[in-house]
Amino acid sequence: MKRLAILFGVITALTFTANAQTKPAAGAKKPAAKPVAAKSKSAAPDPKDVEEGKVLISQSDCLACHKVDMKVVGPAYNDVAKKYPYSAANVSLLSTKIINGGAGNWGEVAMSPHPALAANDAKKMVAYILSLKAK
Ligand code: HEC
C-alpha cells in the first residue's frame, strides 16, 4: 500500500511538470507594422509643379474621393504627405499608382485607375500632395 502511494505521487508530479512545460508562452504578440519614416532632409518639390499639380487635381475626379485634411473614400492628402517623404522614388511610386489604381496601402478600398492621365501630370499632382506636409 505504501509503495502504491509513492508511485501515485510520482505520477502526479510527472503530470504536473509536463503540463507546466507545454503551456504556451504568454504575451508573444507581433509588433505592429510601423509607417515609413519621414526623412527630415528630403528635397523639396518644385513650386511650379506644386501649383500646376493643384490645378490638375481640381480638374480631375480626385476630389470626389480625397480631401486635404479629412479621409473620404481615399486617405487625406495630409496623411499621404506624412507617410511619404518627397523623393524621386516616392513621386514615381505614387504617380504610377494614380494611373494604374489599386488598394492595399490604406485599406481594402481601391483607387480607380486614371489611364488617360499623362505620367508628367500625375507627377505634378504628387508634387502638390507631398508638399502639404509642411502646412
Ligand atoms: C474612386 C475614388 C478615388 C478617386 C477618384 C481617386 N482616388 Fe486616390 N485613392 C483612393 C483610395 C481608396 C486610395 C487608397 C488606396 C490604397 O489603400 O492603397 C487612394 C490613394 C491615393 C494615394 C496614395 C497611394 C498610396 O499607395 O499610398 C494618392 C497619392 C492618391 N490616391 C491620389 C489621387 C489623385 C491625384 C487622384 C485624381 C487623379 C485620385 N487619387 C483619385 C480613392 C480614389
Side-chain angles (χ1 to χ4, degrees):
M1 196 60 197
K2 215 178 186 182
R3 268 193 192 171
L4 200 64
I6 290 167
L7 192 65
F8 188 71
V10 169
I11 289 169
T12 314
L14 282 177
T15 315
F16 188 78
T17 322
N19 274 347
Q21 280 169 351
T22 51
K23 255 191 192 167
K29 266 193 218 158
K30 264 191 174 180
K34 280 186 187 165
V36 180
K39 280 182 197 150
S40 55
K41 276 197 176 175
S42 51
D46 184 334
K48 200 165 152 262
D49 287 352
V50 170
E51 213 36 60
E52 284 177 31
K54 187 177 180 179
V55 173
L56 286 165
I57 282 180
S58 72
Q59 291 167 347
S60 186
D61 65 350
C62 321
L63 300 176
C65 293
H66 292 280
K67 272 198 161 78
V68 169
D69 54 1
M70 206 181 96
K71 179 186 184 289
V72 190
V73 179
Y77 283 152
N78 273 342
D79 291 336
V80 176
K82 260 185 231 159
K83 181 170 175 175
Y84 302 92
Y86 181 83
S87 69
N90 281 339
V91 169
S92 144
L93 182 89
L94 293 174
S95 58
T96 307
K97 168 98 165 212
I98 293 167
I99 292 168
N100 294 337
N105 285 341
W106 298 87
E108 298 306 310
V109 185
M111 169 155 64
S112 51
H114 297 83
L117 204 58
N120 228 22
D121 286 352
K123 284 186 176 173
K124 287 176 186 170
M125 289 171 162
V126 174
Y128 162 70
I129 295 166
L130 298 190
S131 77
L132 293 169
K133 182 170 56 173
K135 286 168 195 166

